[in-house]
Amino acid sequence: MDNIFIDLSAVVISIAFSYGIFWYKKHKTEIDKKRDEGDALAFSVDMLGKLATMFAYDLKDSSEKGAAKKKEVANKIKVTFADAKLPMPSDAAISGAIEKAVTTMKVADEEGEK
C-alpha cells in the first residue's frame, strides 16, 4: 500500500514538473521580452538621474532663470532618450530627477564654500 502512494506521488510530481517545463518553453519568448523591457526601463531610470545631474551642471552658469533652465534640461533629457531609443520616463519623473539634481548641486556648492 505504501509503494502505491509513493509511486502515485512520483507520477504526480513528474507530471507537474513536466507541465511547468512545457509552460515555460511555450511562453519563453514573452518572458524574455518582458525581462528585456524591464531591463531597458531600469537602465532608463538610472540614466535619467545621470543625465539630469549632467545637464543641470551644464546650465548652472547660464543666464536663464530657474523655470527656463528646468525646461531646457527637460528638453535635453527627452532628446537624449529619443536619440538613444530608450523608454521615455514620464514628465513627473524627469521633473523629480531635475529637482533632485539641483538640490544635490546646491548642497555640494554650500559644502564647498565652507
Side-chain angles (χ1 to χ4, degrees):
M1 187 75 162
D2 288 337
N3 287 339
I4 293 173
F5 288 124
I6 293 172
D7 291 343
L8 183 62
S9 62
V11 168
V12 169
I13 290 171
S14 297
I15 291 172
F17 184 72
S18 298
Y19 178 75
I21 291 174
F22 166 76
W23 184 89
Y24 174 75
K25 287 189 176 207
K26 182 178 177 185
H27 295 91
K28 185 176 183 334
T29 55
E30 294 173 29
I31 293 169
D32 290 345
K33 182 179 176 185
K34 288 182 181 180
R35 186 196 70 228
D36 291 343
E37 288 173 358
D39 290 346
L41 182 61
F43 180 72
S44 293
V45 170
D46 183 43
M47 286 304 299
L48 176 60
K50 291 178 182 178
L51 289 172
T53 302
M54 183 179 71
F55 291 141
Y57 272 101
D58 284 348
L59 292 178
K60 178 181 173 183
D61 297 324
S62 74
S63 61
E64 297 175 352
K65 297 296 179 193
K69 284 183 185 180
K70 185 175 182 179
K71 186 175 180 181
E72 181 66 26
V73 171
N75 287 337
K76 285 184 175 189
I77 289 172
K78 288 178 182 179
V79 167
T80 303
F81 273 94
D83 289 346
K85 296 183 175 123
L86 290 171
M88 185 69 67
S90 67
D91 289 339
I94 292 172
S95 177
I98 293 169
E99 289 173 10
K100 184 177 179 183
V102 169
T103 302
T104 303
M105 182 175 60
K106 287 180 180 179
V107 168
D109 287 346
E110 288 173 4
E111 289 179 0
E113 291 176 0
K114 289 183 181 180

